[in-house]
Amino acid sequence: MAVERPSSRIALVGTGSRGLMFLRGIAERPAVSIVALCEPNAVRAEYYQGELERLNQDRVPVYPPDRFEEMLAKERVDTVVVTCVDALHDVYSVPALEAGVRVVTEKPMTTDVDKCRRINEAAQRTGNHLTVTFNYRYNPVHEEVKRQIASGTIGNGKSATKGSS
């Protein structure tokens, strides 16, 4: 059984590897909780339910994409984290902003200028909060490399470059 938390209510859209990084990070924070998933793939959604349980969290309702707005209202979501396919970020970000929900989305914000414009206009029109993150900055592999360098385990590096192959 999960620990009771006073919290920000977060819904996660998309259950790929980027979403898993967010799920794990959110589960570690006492003032927030995941209250719903939006995902069309039942197998991936079930994997996330298992991850929630492994992290001592409750299973949450899973909504298909065509019930996204219902999910926002029914689950009283105040923040949505959009980690689905980049080309669909606007499909979730715009209605969330219009519903008064904070949006955290991945870089790239979406895949073309018109979709970016839609998201930006919704944020400006509603005055609601939009954050575009860059997950590779916090990628576990990159964090481990940083720890190894900082600890001196792999020497006293000053810079690194990728050579041509």
Side-chain angles (χ1 to χ4, degrees):
M1 186 166 134
V3 175
E4 186 67 30
R5 311 176 189 204
S7 67
S8 177
R9 300 176 61 79
I10 299 176
L12 192 61
V13 178
T15 58
S17 60
R18 289 188 288 187
L20 196 54
M21 183 180 65
F22 278 97
L23 178 125
R24 289 174 178 151
I26 292 165
E28 292 175 358
R29 285 156 179 77
V32 296
S33 57
I34 295 178
V35 298
L37 301 173
C38 182
E39 173 58 51
N41 184 316
V43 173
R44 287 169 46 157
E46 184 57 33
Y47 178 79
Y48 268 53
Q49 297 284 24
E51 281 298 303
L52 284 168
E53 290 175 331
R54 280 186 282 286
L55 295 165
N56 197 34
Q57 307 297 306
D58 291 328
R59 293 173 70 89
V60 298
V62 178
Y63 290 81
D66 63 347
R67 293 180 53 210
F68 175 72
E69 292 180 54
E70 174 189 342
M71 176 194 72
L72 295 177
K74 186 172 182 181
E75 303 304 329
R76 301 182 329 276
V77 173
D78 53 45
T79 302
V80 65
V81 179
V82 180
T83 67
C84 62
V85 176
D86 298 337
L88 298 177
H89 286 189
D90 65 312
V91 171
Y92 301 101
S93 298
V94 171
L97 290 164
E98 290 173 343
V101 174
R102 289 184 299 271
V103 173
V104 176
T105 188
E106 274 293 305
K107 175 185 175 195
M109 185 165 64
T110 190
T111 55
D112 67 47
V113 172
D114 290 335
K115 291 176 181 182
C116 285
R117 191 171 287 123
R118 265 188 83 223
I119 295 170
N120 283 330
E121 287 172 354
Q124 290 173 353
R125 182 176 65 255
T126 64
N128 291 321
H129 192 80
L130 169 68
T131 301
V132 181
T133 65
F134 180 46
N135 77 63
Y136 279 108
R137 180 171 294 147
Y138 303 104
N139 181 302
V141 171
H142 298 161
E143 287 187 336
E144 180 60 26
V145 169
K146 181 181 178 191
R147 277 192 291 279
Q148 294 294 321
I149 291 170
S151 72
T153 302
I154 59 174
N156 193 12
K158 302 291 184 216
S159 69
T161 60
K162 179 185 178 284
S164 60
S165 44

